[in-house]
Amino acid sequence: MIGLDWQGLMRAGLHGLRLTPAQFWALTPFELQTMLGQTQAVAPMGRNRLAELEQAYPDASFGENDGRRR
């Protein structure tokens, strides 16, 4: 897991952006980075990549006797 500079993020959020603690902790790290202007554009996923993921992680089929409800 990538470590986050919580002290720096809290300083930027609470002092720089003047967020309340509740507002700060309600944000995701991505939202906070966006507010601080630190995000980079990410290209949307294409059909080929989606097909690769579908093949690598297929949906489980539900059998009649597996105990799960539909």
Side-chain angles (χ1 to χ4, degrees):
M1 180 176 181
I2 297 173
L4 295 176
D5 176 13
W6 285 109
Q7 185 176 12
L9 291 173
M10 289 176 68
R11 188 178 318 110
L14 300 174
H15 296 288
L17 297 173
R18 299 191 178 270
L19 299 171
T20 65
Q23 291 170 324
F24 175 83
W25 291 111
L27 293 171
T28 65
F30 181 81
E31 290 170 329
L32 182 57
Q33 286 179 316
T34 300
M35 293 175 77
L36 295 171
Q38 298 176 350
T39 57
Q40 297 177 356
V42 177
M45 184 185 314
R47 289 183 185 269
N48 291 338
R49 181 64 180 138
L50 178 58
E52 290 172 6
L53 290 171
E54 288 175 329
Q55 187 171 14
Y57 305 100
D59 289 338
S61 60
F62 290 95
E64 290 183 27
N65 296 322
D66 67 1
R68 291 186 261 179
R69 297 170 69 161
R70 294 182 203 223

